[in-house]
Amino acid sequence: MSNIQQFASDNYAGICPQAWAAMDAANRGHAPAYGEDPWTQAAADTFRALFVTDCEVFFAFNGTAANSMALAALCQSYHSVICAESAHVETDECGAPEFFSNGSKLLVAPSPDGKLTPAAIREIAGKRSDIHYPKPRVVTITQPTETGQVYSPAEVAAISAVCRELGLRLHMDGARFANACAHLGCDPADITWKVGVDVLCFGGTKNGMAVGEAILFFDRALAEDFDYRCKQAGQLASKMRFLAAPWTGMLEGGAWLANAAHANACARRLADRIAGVPGASLMFPVQANAVFVAAPEDRLEALRARGWRFYTFIGGGARFMFSWDADMGRVDALAADMETVFGA
């Protein structure tokens, strides 16, 4: 198996040292099961300290389960969830949000850049109010979006204001939440509960952990019986300490933010290197750890022929994702091949 670094996905990366060390520390001897261990308590308390609020914290294996359980907790089966048409919950979770909620419908808004707007939310929520149509109940936004763009605190606040006006809850899919914080240079609270987010799914897998996401309920009332939902969904780990402990290693020393900042810097490096290269163009502003490049298909094939892997599932362009351990030399090698191939 080749160890040559690829940038098709930040899921390709291994476990960062801080998460690995925390798992190793949790592996010394026996501990109570099902989250009754000291590491799970410590991880939850670390999140409360980071967000400076007494939130309710749960741990899940992956982002699909985290998002789907969180949305299900906010909905009845006859409700609907408003999202961007490119949202992960719509395009890449195999109907899990509908499954976990026993049928809550996703209502999608056209969004060329992946962002929801207050106007789009208002239009969808106001489209129909009769009993024959699923009643809008939740708005979900992805931070950063699937196109790698970041909502500012003001943008989240504007969305939240519309949600409050219309009686909707606000959920944030934060699979790469750390990258958004690194880009904005703000505290996590500034783009979540302080601007009206009710529930956040904070991604650990793409930030340097082996597996694991955290679900934070800023309104504790919304978390009623959520532990039962986790159990029913197969997300209550018997050896929960191995899901929770890595978070302490990531959060306490700041690795979560440093990892994200490095990944963002690698994306920025590639974007700067290929700016102005004939035959290629950036599809979206580079704000987090993603770079989308539009180029003719024969040029993309030529890039593949040089050994590079990438996906083209959003808009037909090549997507490159950078992780906590991305090597700048390898980024420069990709840029050099792009300059050669696209400029030919």
Side-chain angles (χ1 to χ4, degrees):
M1 181 178 177
S2 173
N3 286 322
I4 297 176
Q5 220 174 62
Q6 292 285 349
F7 305 122
S9 171
D10 39 8
N11 288 323
Y12 281 29
I15 307 169
C16 73
Q18 296 85 352
W20 186 272
M23 288 185 73
D24 181 60
N27 196 36
R28 312 294 173 83
H30 288 210
Y34 300 108
E36 298 299 323
D37 60 273
W39 289 277
T40 299
Q41 183 62 53
D45 287 342
T46 303
F47 271 111
R48 294 179 188 114
L50 180 66
F51 282 83
V52 200
T53 189
D54 188 26
C55 53
E56 194 73 80
V57 183
F58 299 87
F59 300 101
F61 288 101
N62 56 46
T64 293
N67 286 331
S68 300
M69 290 192 302
L71 292 174
L74 302 175
C75 286
Q76 296 291 336
S77 58
Y78 50 83
H79 285 143
S80 56
V81 177
I82 298 171
C83 65
E85 62 183 349
S86 60
H88 200 270
V89 294
E90 164 68 8
T91 64
D92 291 287
E93 292 183 355
C94 196
E98 296 92 333
F99 175 80
F100 277 72
S101 63
N102 291 317
S104 296
K105 184 177 177 61
L106 298 181
L107 303 178
V108 300
S111 178
D113 63 356
K115 282 188 176 182
L116 271 182
T117 64
I121 294 166
R122 191 184 300 279
E123 179 179 354
I124 290 179
K127 185 175 295 184
R128 285 174 62 178
S129 60
D130 59 275
I131 201 168
H132 303 285
Y133 196 70
K135 184 178 182 180
R137 179 61 176 167
V138 181
V139 168
T140 178
I141 58 176
T142 312
Q143 176 75 311
T145 68
E146 281 69 26
T147 63
Q149 296 180 78
V150 174
Y151 288 94
S152 69
E155 287 175 315
V156 180
I159 288 172
S160 172
V162 170
C163 289
R164 296 294 175 264
E165 176 190 337
L166 301 177
L168 308 173
R169 294 293 186 178
L170 181 56
H171 164 264
M172 179 176 283
D173 173 356
R176 299 180 176 92
F177 179 75
N179 300 91
C181 291
H183 170 74
L184 293 170
C186 68
D187 290 332
D190 294 338
I191 49 172
T192 53
W193 66 268
K194 285 188 176 181
V195 285
V197 173
D198 293 303
V199 184
L200 166 69
C201 293
F202 192 139
T205 307
K206 294 175 174 63
N207 191 221
M209 287 169 51
V211 62
E213 317 291 300
I215 306 161
L216 280 61
F217 286 85
F218 300 112
D219 181 346
R220 280 177 165 265
L222 298 175
E224 183 179 359
D225 291 340
F226 195 76
D227 49 348
Y228 287 88
R229 190 179 295 279
C230 290
K231 174 62 178 178
Q232 186 182 62
Q235 295 295 312
L236 178 64
S238 54
K239 296 184 179 180
M240 183 65 80
R241 68 188 187 275
F242 295 113
L243 273 185
W247 283 110
T248 63
M250 297 282 288
L251 299 180
E252 288 180 347
W256 71 280
L257 193 58
N259 286 351
H262 173 73
N264 289 3
C266 289
R268 185 72 262 163
R269 174 73 158 257
L270 178 64
D272 289 344
R273 280 286 308 269
I274 66 173
V277 172
S281 60
L282 295 177
M283 296 173 63
F284 308 104
V286 176
Q287 297 178 338
N289 64 323
V291 178
F292 290 82
V293 180
E297 181 56 33
D298 63 328
R299 298 297 87 195
L300 296 180
E301 278 301 319
L303 194 61
R304 291 189 185 98
R306 288 175 174 254
W308 294 102
R309 294 183 180 182
F310 50 87
Y311 295 111
T312 56
F313 59 88
I314 295 180
R319 187 197 75 167
F320 298 92
M321 300 294 304
F322 300 92
S323 61
W324 68 272
D325 65 344
D327 179 78
M328 279 293 190
R330 185 72 174 151
V331 176
D332 286 340
L334 171 59
D337 277 353
M338 284 184 166
E339 290 167 347
T340 299
V341 166
F342 296 149

